[in-house]
Amino acid sequence: MLGLIIKDLLNMKGQYIIMVVSIVIYGALAYSGQDSQMLGLILMLFAIMAPVSSMALDEKAKWDAYAATMPIKRTCLATSKYLLALGGLVLNMSIYFIISLLLFGMSVEPLFLETMGYMALAMVVQSLMVPITVKFGVEKGRILMMLSFAIPFGAVLVFEKLGLNMAIGVLTTGHYMALALITINLWLLSLKVSQMLYLKKVF
Amino acid sequence: MGDYAIELKGISKGYETFQLKDINLMIPRGCITGLIGANGAGKSTTIKLILDMIKKDSGEIEIFGQCHNDNTLKERIGVVLDEVHFPEVLNLRDVNRIMKHVYKRWDEKMFFDYAEQFKLHHKKAFKEYSRGMKMKLGLAVALSHGAELLILDEATSGLDPIIREELLDVFMTFVQDERHSILMSSHIISDLEKVCDYIAFMHEGDLIFFEQKDDLIESHRLYKCSEEALKALPPEAIIGYRKHLYGVEVLVRDHENIQNGVVDRASIEDIMLFHTKEKTVC
């Protein structure tokens, strides 16, 4: 498992500079417009793209066929993508939280809830994207990826139209807890589906 | 410890346009076995079945006496496929960082020793390697985790004779340890003639023969004669024949009493080709 995660992190090393530059640019734009949500969205999108980008690189190299000759359980091929996704999400949302706290002067509790909201949205999209990409490949999965990007943007627009901030709304703590549980269970179900797909794959 | 590195018993695998039919093959330990056959004969399918990359329809496969789909067996198997599938931005050092967390018996020193022997640059990205360098990297990985069995699927295809010779030397050194075995498929018959102990020939999903290389070469003769002389040959001795403008070429087996013609030693390539030719004389 660790070998696979190291492989993914090393494989994506060409993208880190692009991500850092993008974060700086969008951070500057967000700061000038005094709207942290732009930064939150871009960090969320990078996190969403991480497992699929890694799978695209694997597909290009036909890595999975080679990995099948190694003492790597097939379920680990799936699990490593989800761990990569989760790690990227936690990292990016931590960056967002710290920057928003320091530069935008947001309060901790609403910022925390907003960050959790981004994480939940990202996890929902990943839960759909990863098994679809495992099953159909990156090219066909890409079309669905474009559609799925509409989900977080659409959700933010709807909330704005309704005059609801992502963090401050009519939802209670209980609602947030329930949404968190649903998101986690969906994510775990997605992991199971991806593991089963890898078990059935032929190379 | 059993006598066989790989045992295939009654293996069948069907596709829409191809069928691997009831393959029974016992690959001995401590030997190099060559797997030959035309494109589409079933060599790669057989190798993928052994490695559990595809599922068999029926039969049993054992490696070192254990069921082949036991994942821990792959610690003992080094694999080089027809292409080496490392992500293109990785370099040799990255490969080492990855593999030491994949294989329990990864030997970092041995890996870098092979890299030195094969003159592989440590920091060059994989995409900048030539085909020969990529195969050498794949072989360095296959040899650096205590493997007892090497499985090579067209690993020397597309390489120049100098690099092929270098790799063949490595294979010969590998099997000097009698616990080590190699199964290699190749179209380059001359390579197999140099290093193999056994030859398995597949054709259209069937295993046509599996024999010791020396016995195979000794027992076959290529006979150039007239059509009349061809008709005089015992049918059971004829493997196949090919008609030319001025006569006939016949591959015969275990038949020494040849008259009125020219007799040559048959190469493995001749044996392979003539097995696919007509054998019934009309």
Side-chain angles (χ1 to χ4, degrees), chain A residues 11 13-14 57 60-61, chain B residues 84-92 94-95 121 123-131 133-134 137:
Chain A
N11 206 7
K13 58 187 169 184
L57 293 167
K60 189 178 175 187
Chain B
V84 182
H85 300 298
F86 287 114
E88 59 181 29
V89 301
L90 300 186
N91 59 37
L92 196 91
D94 294 333
V95 171
H121 200 280
K123 290 186 182 175
K124 208 173 183 180
F126 186 68
K127 64 183 171 191
E128 294 169 40
Y129 276 19
S130 66
R131 178 171 164 78
M133 288 162 74
K134 286 179 181 176
L137 175 59

Side-chain angles (χ1 to χ4, degrees), chain B residues 190-206:
Chain B
S190 56
D191 287 351
L192 301 183
E193 277 183 334
K194 282 180 196 170
V195 300
C196 287
D197 303 297
Y198 289 85
I199 299 288
F201 172 48
M202 296 189 73
H203 184 64
E204 293 180 350
D206 281 315

Side-chain angles (χ1 to χ4, degrees), chain A residues 1-4 6-8 10-14 57-58 60-63 65-74 199 201-203, chain B residues 48 51-55 71-72 74-75 77 79 81 83-91 94 97-99 101-103 138 141-142:
Chain A
M1 181 85 74
L2 183 56
L4 292 173
I6 291 171
K7 184 266 298 172
D8 285 333
L10 289 169
N11 206 7
M12 292 167 68
K13 58 187 169 184
L57 293 167
D58 285 350
K60 189 178 175 187
K62 297 181 192 171
W63 164 262
Y66 187 38
T69 70
M70 299 179 195
I72 296 173
K73 288 183 192 172
R74 289 206 185 187
L199 280 171
K201 254 196 173 194
V202 291
F203 299 105
Chain B
K48 286 182 179 180
L51 293 169
D52 200 29
M53 293 169 75
I54 56 178
K55 299 297 178 195
N71 219 44
T72 58
K74 289 176 181 170
E75 292 277 356
I77 305 173
V79 179
L81 302 174
E83 283 180 30
V84 182
H85 300 298
F86 287 114
E88 59 181 29
V89 301
L90 300 186
N91 59 37
D94 294 333
R97 283 188 196 109
I98 295 164
M99 293 302 163
H101 294 288
V102 171
Y103 290 102
V141 170

Side-chain angles (χ1 to χ4, degrees), chain B residues 95-119:
Chain B
V95 171
N96 176 60
R97 283 188 196 109
I98 295 164
M99 293 302 163
K100 65 184 182 187
H101 294 288
V102 171
Y103 290 102
K104 287 179 186 164
R105 295 189 298 176
W106 181 254
D107 189 331
E108 187 168 326
K109 184 183 178 308
M110 188 179 284
F111 178 66
F112 284 113
D113 284 346
Y114 275 118
E116 179 86 24
Q117 180 184 338
F118 294 150
K119 298 186 179 58

Side-chain angles (χ1 to χ4, degrees), chain B residues 34-38 164 186-194 196 199-203 208-209 213 216-218 220-222 239-240 242 249-251 265-277:
Chain B
L35 187 57
I36 62 173
R164 289 207 325 265
S186 181
H187 287 302
I188 306 173
I189 309 292
S190 56
D191 287 351
L192 301 183
E193 277 183 334
K194 282 180 196 170
C196 287
I199 299 288
F201 172 48
M202 296 189 73
H203 184 64
I208 306 300
F209 63 71
K213 181 196 70 181
L216 191 68
I217 291 172
E218 276 310 308
H220 288 77
R221 291 289 179 267
L222 205 54
I239 302 297
R242 178 164 61 189
E249 259 184 315
V250 193
L251 182 72
R265 274 174 69 106
S267 66
I268 293 176
E269 189 168 332
D270 293 326
I271 295 167
M272 180 180 136
L273 287 171
F274 277 86
H275 265 90
T276 63
K277 300 263 178 237

Side-chain angles (χ1 to χ4, degrees), chain B residues 167-200:
Chain B
L167 297 184
L168 293 179
D169 284 341
V170 172
F171 300 157
M172 296 289 282
T173 306
F174 180 76
V175 294
Q176 279 178 8
D177 184 335
E178 59 186 30
R179 296 168 306 165
H180 291 174
S181 317
I182 296 178
L183 172 65
M184 57 185 289
S185 81
S186 181
H187 287 302
I188 306 173
I189 309 292
S190 56
D191 287 351
L192 301 183
E193 277 183 334
K194 282 180 196 170
V195 300
C196 287
D197 303 297
Y198 289 85
I199 299 288

Side-chain angles (χ1 to χ4, degrees), chain A residues 182-200:
Chain A
I182 291 168
T183 303
I184 290 166
N185 279 307
L186 182 65
W187 202 80
L188 290 172
L189 177 65
S190 172
L191 169 62
K192 262 289 169 224
V193 169
S194 295
Q195 286 178 338
M196 280 168 52
L197 288 170
Y198 265 112
L199 280 171
K200 290 185 178 172

